[in-house]
Amino acid sequence: MGLTCADINVGLLLDCIKQQLNNIPAVTNALLLITSICQEHSNTCVYFQDIGGLKLVHKLARSDVPSSLKEVALYMLGSLANSHVLCQQSLCTTELFDEMLTFMVDENSSTNLQSVSVSVLLSLVSKNGDGQRLLRETDCLSVLQKLFRETLTKSEIDSSNESFMEKYPLWNALCSTLGAAVNNPQNEENQKICCSILPHVQTLLEVSKKPEIVCPLCLLIGLTVAENPSVQKFFMSIGGLDILADVFIKLAGDACQNISSAKVAVTVTITMGVCIADNPPGSRILAKHHVVPKLLTLLLLEGLDSGEKNGVLLTLGHAIVSCVKDLAVQLLANASQDILGLCERGEIFGHMKTIQNSLPKKTIKREEDEEQGPKTDDDTGDSVLKDSDQEDALPKRCSESSAQIYHPSANDELQSQLESLGGDPTSAFSSKHEPVGSERVFDHPASEDENRVQQPPKEEQPENP
């Protein structure tokens, strides 16, 4: 098979780089052009690797060149790894992980250089079990956790000052990389290690309700606890699920007037669903915070699309399946009169049916014979239940509606959101923020008390590899 136009262009640009290594602007432009071509033509990544381009760029990133050129070279490595699995496999070496570790901890590294280094790690561990293992074995995982705790503190997280704007791309890249390190594929050992950052995540959630803060934190929580009972238990033990429920209640309260709050509430909803999946004690915590009526309210919002409502419905299903009786009692005791009226007329469950029918057929378990609901009062001409039957019938109807809903793997929805919220390793480099010069990353270590609370119970801690 002959060379494509993209292959030829990449080859010519590589020759230009070799001939003008001392011309920093020319090399920078050539690297960016090659990156753009490879992003549009993934097979060209393999050709670029075959002609020695990948090795040259890697060597350039390690050489004594200006920080701006080093950042472009690293950005290119991350983009190539993200564009083609063969490039990812070729770059997934202990040597490269160690180099990224050096860039992250070097006190002379700019915030931008740290951000791009973290994003390179993201591209290497995404959907790659070997990358997740190397991240842990090279000690990069512990450094990522330390950076995450110290990049944005509680006092900085809810501000819009210059320092926050400079640090946010790094912080967002850290959230994405830690999420990719623990899931897709699921890595239970990394999950147990990363549960030590959950107390800090909880602290940040308490002080900010901004989407750019809440969404990355929720995705990190969800991927860390997904399908891991011991981490779920630890998160509940430190009050994390209570905090999530409080955040959700506040966002859902504004949902009718602010569609942005409604959409963030959906993200929190999905995270709560992951926390309570196959976890009845978690469902009881949600019942205590009267979450179910707010979930029903979200289902009625016209501003949410079917995918978002499906996420709400799945969480509602997890809650009902895990703790039908308790949640039904809470629903009757705490739901507003409007929601109760909808429940009595069957409109809520009719809406659930509508969403259920919009799902692919293979994801729905259909019963051959549906049981008939309780008889209605013929004199009223509608489906209002008789007073004596309301409380007994509601749990049954909840169970019937949720029993037919297939619950996919807990991290599927979270992972798709992760990819849409900064999962691209190019996001850190392409931000508008310029390098801010030298600054110490670890000038402000966590206090002794904070370090103590950030550690999960001893039985939860994995042995050091």
Side-chain angles (χ1 to χ4, degrees), residues 191-421:
Q191 282 180 317
K192 289 182 179 180
I193 293 173
C194 286
C195 72
S196 65
I197 64 172
L198 291 178
H200 182 63
V201 172
Q202 173 185 330
T203 298
L204 298 183
L205 279 175
E206 289 181 292
V207 297
S208 178
K209 304 299 180 289
K210 292 183 177 181
E212 62 268 27
I213 299 299
V214 174
C215 290
L217 290 177
C218 282
L219 295 172
L220 178 56
I221 292 170
L223 292 170
T224 303
V225 307
E227 301 175 358
N228 192 319
S230 64
V231 180
Q232 284 180 329
K233 182 179 179 181
F234 172 69
F235 186 59
M236 288 192 304
S237 72
I238 62 173
L241 190 53
D242 292 278
I243 297 299
L244 272 180
D246 286 339
V247 172
F248 169 76
I249 292 297
K250 292 175 182 177
L251 290 168
D254 297 333
C256 293
Q257 291 77 30
N258 188 338
I259 191 61
S260 176
S261 294
K263 291 182 178 294
V264 179
V266 170
T267 300
V268 180
T269 297
I270 294 170
T271 306
M272 291 190 298
V274 176
C275 293
I276 67 172
D278 301 317
N279 181 13
S283 297
R284 287 191 282 272
I285 290 176
L286 298 192
K288 179 183 69 175
H289 289 275
H290 312 156
V291 165
V292 169
K294 296 294 185 181
L295 291 175
L296 297 176
T297 302
L298 280 183
L299 285 176
L300 301 178
L301 290 181
E302 296 181 357
L304 299 180
D305 60 35
S306 60
E308 291 166 329
K309 290 185 178 181
N310 286 343
V312 176
L313 185 56
L314 289 174
T315 296
L316 186 59
H318 281 308
I320 294 172
V321 168
S322 298
C323 194
V324 175
K325 183 176 180 180
D326 287 351
L327 288 174
V329 171
Q330 289 291 340
L331 177 59
L332 287 169
N334 301 300
S336 67
Q337 291 301 315
D338 290 340
I339 295 296
L340 271 176
L342 290 170
C343 290
E344 291 170 351
R345 295 195 301 273
E347 292 183 20
I348 282 291
F349 300 102
H351 187 71
M352 291 169 70
K353 275 284 190 181
T354 300
I355 296 177
Q356 172 191 336
N357 291 335
S358 70
L359 294 170
K361 290 184 178 180
K362 65 181 180 179
T363 67
I364 302 175
K365 296 180 180 179
R366 300 191 179 278
E367 297 179 355
E368 293 182 359
D369 299 312
E370 292 188 357
E371 296 181 7
Q372 296 296 323
K375 294 182 179 181
T376 59
D377 191 342
D378 294 335
D379 295 336
T380 61
D382 58 25
S383 59
V384 178
L385 298 174
K386 293 183 178 180
D387 293 340
S388 60
D389 294 334
Q390 286 181 9
E391 188 167 346
D392 293 334
L394 184 56
K396 183 177 181 180
R397 297 180 69 177
C398 290
S399 179
E400 289 175 353
S401 298
S402 63
Q404 300 181 29
I405 302 169
Y406 167 74
H407 300 288
S409 177
N411 63 337
D412 290 350
E413 183 70 21
L414 284 160
Q415 187 61 34
S416 65
Q417 291 195 31
L418 174 62
E419 293 173 353
S420 67
L421 285 172

